[in-house]
Amino acid sequence: MEEILEKVRLATHKVLAGEVACERDSIVFEKATYPLPLIALLLRAAIERNGRLNVLDFGGALGSSYYQTRDFLASLPELRWCVVEQPHFVECGRREFQNSILQFYDSLNECMQAMPLHVVLASGVLQYLPDPTQVLASFVHSAPDYIVIDRTPISISGKQMISIQSVPSEINLSSYPLWIFNEHQLKAPLLKDYKEIACFDAVDGTLGTWKMKAAFKGFIFQKRIGTGTA
Protein backbone atom coordinates (compact mmCIF):
# COMPACT_ATOMS: atom_id res chain seq x y z
CA MET A 1 0.00 0.00 0.00
CA GLU A 2 2.72 2.48 0.94
CA GLU A 3 4.65 1.64 -2.23
CA ILE A 4 1.62 2.45 -4.38
CA LEU A 5 1.03 5.69 -2.50
CA GLU A 6 4.65 6.74 -2.98
CA LYS A 7 4.47 6.13 -6.73
CA VAL A 8 1.27 8.17 -7.00
CA ARG A 9 2.71 10.91 -4.78
CA LEU A 10 5.85 11.29 -6.87
CA ALA A 11 3.89 11.20 -10.11
CA THR A 12 1.49 13.87 -8.85
CA HIS A 13 4.36 16.15 -7.88
CA LYS A 14 5.70 15.78 -11.43
CA VAL A 15 2.32 16.93 -12.76
CA LEU A 16 2.34 19.96 -10.45
CA ALA A 17 5.91 20.81 -11.48
CA GLY A 18 4.96 20.68 -15.16
CA GLU A 19 7.40 17.84 -15.84
CA VAL A 20 4.63 15.60 -17.24
CA ALA A 21 1.17 16.27 -18.64
CA CYS A 22 -0.84 13.98 -16.38
CA GLU A 23 -0.82 10.92 -14.12
CA ARG A 24 -3.16 7.95 -14.13
CA ASP A 25 -2.79 4.95 -11.80
CA SER A 26 0.72 6.20 -10.90
CA ILE A 27 1.79 6.16 -14.56
CA VAL A 28 2.92 9.50 -15.98
CA PHE A 29 2.12 10.70 -19.49
CA GLU A 30 4.01 13.26 -21.54
CA LYS A 31 0.85 14.07 -23.50
CA ALA A 32 -2.51 14.50 -21.83
CA THR A 33 -5.47 12.33 -22.77
CA TYR A 34 -8.37 14.48 -21.65
CA PRO A 35 -11.54 12.76 -20.32
CA LEU A 36 -13.76 14.81 -22.63
CA PRO A 37 -17.14 13.24 -21.70
CA LEU A 38 -16.42 13.97 -18.03
CA ILE A 39 -15.30 17.51 -18.81
CA ALA A 40 -18.45 18.18 -20.82
CA LEU A 41 -20.63 16.91 -17.96
CA LEU A 42 -18.77 18.98 -15.35
CA LEU A 43 -19.25 22.14 -17.40
CA ARG A 44 -22.94 21.33 -17.89
CA ALA A 45 -23.40 20.80 -14.16
CA ALA A 46 -21.60 24.06 -13.41
CA ILE A 47 -23.74 26.03 -15.86
CA GLU A 48 -26.87 24.67 -14.19
CA ARG A 49 -25.53 25.91 -10.84
CA ASN A 50 -24.55 29.40 -12.07
CA GLY A 51 -20.87 28.52 -12.21
CA ARG A 52 -20.70 26.71 -8.86
CA LEU A 53 -19.45 23.13 -8.91
CA ASN A 54 -18.85 20.68 -6.05
CA VAL A 55 -17.39 17.36 -7.15
CA LEU A 56 -16.97 14.27 -4.99
CA ASP A 57 -14.26 12.09 -6.55
CA PHE A 58 -14.63 8.66 -4.94
CA GLY A 59 -11.34 6.76 -4.94
CA GLY A 60 -9.66 9.69 -6.69
CA ALA A 61 -6.10 9.01 -5.44
CA LEU A 62 -4.31 12.35 -4.97
CA GLY A 63 -6.47 14.25 -7.44
CA SER A 64 -5.66 12.55 -10.75
CA SER A 65 -8.99 13.39 -12.41
CA TYR A 66 -8.91 16.93 -11.04
CA TYR A 67 -5.53 17.60 -12.62
CA GLN A 68 -6.77 16.14 -15.93
CA THR A 69 -9.79 18.48 -16.00
CA ARG A 70 -8.68 21.63 -14.14
CA ASP A 71 -7.64 23.63 -17.23
CA PHE A 72 -11.21 23.36 -18.55
CA LEU A 73 -12.72 24.38 -15.21
CA ALA A 74 -10.38 27.27 -14.43
CA SER A 75 -12.89 29.99 -15.31
CA LEU A 76 -15.58 28.74 -12.91
CA PRO A 77 -16.20 31.26 -10.13
CA GLU A 78 -16.53 28.51 -7.50
CA LEU A 79 -15.05 25.01 -7.66
CA ARG A 80 -14.50 22.45 -4.92
CA TRP A 81 -13.06 19.05 -5.83
CA CYS A 82 -13.27 16.60 -2.94
CA VAL A 83 -11.44 13.29 -3.03
CA VAL A 84 -12.68 10.43 -0.83
CA GLU A 85 -9.90 7.91 -0.34
CA GLN A 86 -8.17 5.45 1.96
CA PRO A 87 -6.72 7.00 5.14
CA HIS A 88 -3.07 6.98 4.01
CA PHE A 89 -3.99 8.75 0.76
CA VAL A 90 -6.09 11.29 2.66
CA GLU A 91 -3.26 12.00 5.09
CA CYS A 92 -0.78 12.51 2.25
CA GLY A 93 -3.26 14.57 0.23
CA ARG A 94 -3.99 16.91 3.11
CA ARG A 95 -0.31 17.29 3.89
CA GLU A 96 1.05 17.88 0.39
CA PHE A 97 -1.70 18.69 -2.10
CA GLN A 98 -4.75 20.18 -0.42
CA ASN A 99 -5.71 23.76 -1.27
CA SER A 100 -8.84 25.89 -1.50
CA ILE A 101 -10.15 23.77 -4.41
CA LEU A 102 -8.73 20.26 -3.92
CA GLN A 103 -9.65 18.68 -0.57
CA PHE A 104 -9.49 15.19 0.90
CA TYR A 105 -12.00 13.26 3.01
CA ASP A 106 -12.10 9.87 4.70
CA SER A 107 -15.71 9.13 3.77
CA LEU A 108 -18.61 10.18 1.61
CA ASN A 109 -20.58 11.16 4.72
CA GLU A 110 -17.81 13.47 5.92
CA CYS A 111 -17.78 15.21 2.55
CA MET A 112 -21.59 15.48 2.46
CA GLN A 113 -21.53 17.28 5.80
CA ALA A 114 -19.09 19.83 4.40
CA MET A 115 -21.01 20.76 1.24
CA PRO A 116 -23.87 19.82 -1.10
CA LEU A 117 -22.75 17.52 -3.91
CA HIS A 118 -23.38 18.40 -7.54
CA VAL A 119 -21.42 15.58 -9.23
CA VAL A 120 -20.24 12.27 -7.82
CA LEU A 121 -17.47 10.63 -9.84
CA ALA A 122 -16.23 7.04 -9.61
CA SER A 123 -13.41 6.60 -12.12
CA GLY A 124 -11.53 3.31 -12.26
CA VAL A 125 -12.54 2.31 -8.73
CA LEU A 126 -15.79 0.29 -8.58
CA GLN A 127 -14.13 -2.86 -9.93
CA TYR A 128 -11.81 -3.03 -6.92
CA LEU A 129 -14.45 -2.72 -4.20
CA PRO A 130 -15.80 -5.66 -2.17
CA ASP A 131 -19.39 -4.41 -2.54
CA PRO A 132 -19.78 -1.92 -5.40
CA THR A 133 -23.58 -2.16 -5.23
CA GLN A 134 -23.57 -0.77 -1.69
CA VAL A 135 -21.29 2.08 -2.75
CA LEU A 136 -23.56 2.97 -5.66
CA ALA A 137 -26.52 3.00 -3.26
CA SER A 138 -24.62 5.45 -1.07
CA PHE A 139 -24.09 7.68 -4.11
CA VAL A 140 -27.85 7.72 -4.68
CA HIS A 141 -28.43 8.57 -1.02
CA SER A 142 -26.12 11.58 -1.34
CA ALA A 143 -28.48 12.91 -4.07
CA PRO A 144 -26.08 14.75 -6.40
CA ASP A 145 -27.32 16.24 -9.65
CA TYR A 146 -25.21 13.74 -11.61
CA ILE A 147 -23.37 10.47 -11.05
CA VAL A 148 -20.50 9.58 -13.38
CA ILE A 149 -19.06 6.08 -13.63
CA ASP A 150 -15.89 5.97 -15.74
CA ARG A 151 -13.09 3.51 -16.60
CA THR A 152 -15.15 0.50 -15.54
CA PRO A 153 -14.81 -2.98 -17.13
CA ILE A 154 -18.03 -4.28 -18.69
CA SER A 155 -18.27 -7.96 -19.66
CA ILE A 156 -18.59 -8.40 -23.41
CA SER A 157 -20.25 -11.79 -22.93
CA GLY A 158 -22.66 -10.29 -20.39
CA LYS A 159 -21.54 -12.61 -17.59
CA GLN A 160 -20.59 -10.84 -14.37
CA MET A 161 -17.56 -12.37 -12.67
CA ILE A 162 -14.57 -11.77 -10.44
CA SER A 163 -11.22 -12.06 -12.13
CA ILE A 164 -7.61 -11.33 -11.14
CA GLN A 165 -5.76 -8.30 -12.45
CA SER A 166 -1.99 -8.68 -12.64
CA VAL A 167 0.00 -5.46 -12.46
CA PRO A 168 3.36 -5.55 -14.31
CA SER A 169 6.60 -5.11 -12.39
CA GLU A 170 7.45 -1.77 -14.02
CA ILE A 171 4.36 -0.33 -12.31
CA ASN A 172 4.00 -2.35 -9.11
CA LEU A 173 4.31 -6.13 -9.28
CA SER A 174 1.09 -7.32 -7.68
CA SER A 175 -2.35 -8.76 -8.34
CA TYR A 176 -5.88 -7.78 -7.29
CA PRO A 177 -9.38 -9.22 -7.42
CA LEU A 178 -11.31 -7.40 -10.12
CA TRP A 179 -15.03 -7.21 -10.87
CA ILE A 180 -15.99 -7.56 -14.52
CA PHE A 181 -19.52 -6.21 -14.54
CA ASN A 182 -22.69 -7.12 -16.29
CA GLU A 183 -23.81 -3.71 -17.51
CA HIS A 184 -27.43 -4.07 -16.38
CA GLN A 185 -26.46 -5.31 -12.92
CA LEU A 186 -23.99 -2.46 -12.51
CA LYS A 187 -26.58 0.21 -13.33
CA ALA A 188 -29.47 -1.32 -11.38
CA PRO A 189 -28.87 0.48 -8.03
CA LEU A 190 -29.07 3.85 -9.80
CA LEU A 191 -32.00 3.59 -12.17
CA LYS A 192 -34.88 4.23 -9.78
CA ASP A 193 -33.64 7.72 -8.90
CA TYR A 194 -31.36 8.45 -11.87
CA LYS A 195 -31.67 8.19 -15.64
CA GLU A 196 -28.77 7.35 -17.92
CA ILE A 197 -28.04 10.24 -20.31
CA ALA A 198 -24.73 9.12 -21.87
CA CYS A 199 -22.51 6.08 -22.41
CA PHE A 200 -18.97 6.26 -23.80
CA ASP A 201 -15.81 4.24 -24.32
CA ALA A 202 -13.22 4.80 -21.60
CA VAL A 203 -9.52 5.39 -22.22
CA ASP A 204 -8.47 1.94 -20.98
CA GLY A 205 -9.77 0.04 -24.03
CA THR A 206 -10.30 -3.70 -23.46
CA LEU A 207 -8.76 -6.40 -21.29
CA GLY A 208 -8.89 -10.17 -21.02
CA THR A 209 -9.49 -12.80 -23.65
CA TRP A 210 -12.36 -14.94 -24.94
CA LYS A 211 -15.19 -15.34 -22.39
CA MET A 212 -13.47 -13.08 -19.84
CA LYS A 213 -13.02 -10.17 -22.25
CA ALA A 214 -14.22 -6.78 -21.04
CA ALA A 215 -14.50 -3.30 -22.51
CA PHE A 216 -13.90 -0.29 -20.28
CA LYS A 217 -16.86 2.08 -20.43
CA GLY A 218 -18.22 5.20 -18.83
CA PHE A 219 -21.78 6.22 -17.99
CA ILE A 220 -23.43 9.49 -16.96
CA PHE A 221 -26.61 9.54 -14.88
CA GLN A 222 -28.85 12.51 -14.11
CA LYS A 223 -31.10 12.75 -11.07
CA ARG A 224 -34.76 12.32 -11.90
CA ILE A 225 -37.09 15.17 -11.06
CA GLY A 226 -38.65 14.82 -7.62
CA THR A 227 -36.00 12.52 -6.09
CA GLY A 228 -34.46 14.89 -3.56
CA THR A 229 -32.18 17.90 -3.67
CA ALA A 230 -28.44 18.37 -3.70
Side-chain angles (χ1 to χ4, degrees):
M1 288 292 186
E2 292 301 327
E3 181 181 353
I4 296 172
L5 171 59
E6 182 63 11
K7 286 180 178 290
V8 175
R9 187 185 74 84
L10 293 176
T12 304
H13 275 297
K14 288 183 178 181
V15 172
L16 286 174
E19 298 175 16
V20 297
C22 67
E23 168 272 330
R24 190 167 63 245
D25 298 333
S26 81
I27 304 171
V28 296
F29 297 87
E30 301 298 328
K31 184 177 180 180
T33 302
Y34 294 111
L36 295 179
L38 172 61
I39 290 168
L41 182 278
L42 293 174
L43 291 174
R44 169 176 169 167
I47 290 170
E48 293 173 350
R49 293 283 181 168
N50 297 315
R52 297 183 299 112
L53 182 62
N54 297 337
V55 179
L56 185 146
D57 185 358
F58 189 87
L62 294 175
S64 176
S65 293
Y66 165 68
Y67 292 118
Q68 292 173 47
T69 59
R70 62 175 175 169
D71 289 348
F72 295 86
L73 307 176
S75 62
L76 295 182
E78 184 179 324
L79 172 63
R80 297 178 74 179
W81 192 288
C82 308
V83 173
V84 171
E85 257 293 357
Q86 300 173 79
H88 57 304
F89 272 85
V90 172
E91 180 183 357
C92 177
R94 288 174 174 170
R95 183 178 66 246
E96 300 185 34
F97 300 102
Q98 184 158 291
N99 54 43
S100 61
I101 295 175
L102 181 62
Q103 298 165 20
F104 295 85
Y105 293 89
D106 290 305
S107 69
L108 187 150
N109 286 337
E110 183 186 12
C111 185
M112 285 174 59
Q113 291 173 8
M115 71 199 73
L117 304 180
H118 303 150
V119 176
V120 168
L121 168 66
S123 179
V125 64
L126 293 178
Q127 57 265 36
Y128 300 111
L129 302 177
D131 192 349
T133 298
Q134 183 181 44
V135 171
L136 289 173
S138 71
F139 291 170
V140 172
H141 178 70
S142 70
D145 298 337
Y146 297 94
I147 296 173
V148 182
I149 297 173
D150 197 3
R151 302 184 58 217
T152 302
I154 303 298
S155 172
I156 291 176
S157 71
K159 182 179 180 181
Q160 183 156 299
M161 65 194 86
I162 298 177
S163 182
I164 298 294
Q165 179 178 356
S166 297
V167 181
S169 58
E170 59 266 26
I171 301 175
N172 175 45
L173 183 60
S174 56
S175 60
Y176 303 93
L178 175 83
W179 284 100
I180 297 178
F181 294 102
N182 170 277
E183 184 172 334
H184 298 293
Q185 288 179 251
L186 174 68
K187 298 174 182 177
L190 304 178
L191 294 180
K192 178 181 177 183
D193 297 297
Y194 286 78
K195 61 180 179 180
E196 181 182 340
I197 61 171
C199 172
F200 53 92
D201 294 327
V203 298
D204 308 79
T206 61
L207 87 165
T209 57
W210 198 42
K211 292 182 179 180
M212 296 188 71
K213 194 169 185 180
F216 281 82
K217 290 188 177 184
F219 308 94
I220 298 173
F221 300 87
Q222 182 180 23
K223 185 171 58 179
R224 297 183 188 275
I225 296 174
T227 57
T229 58

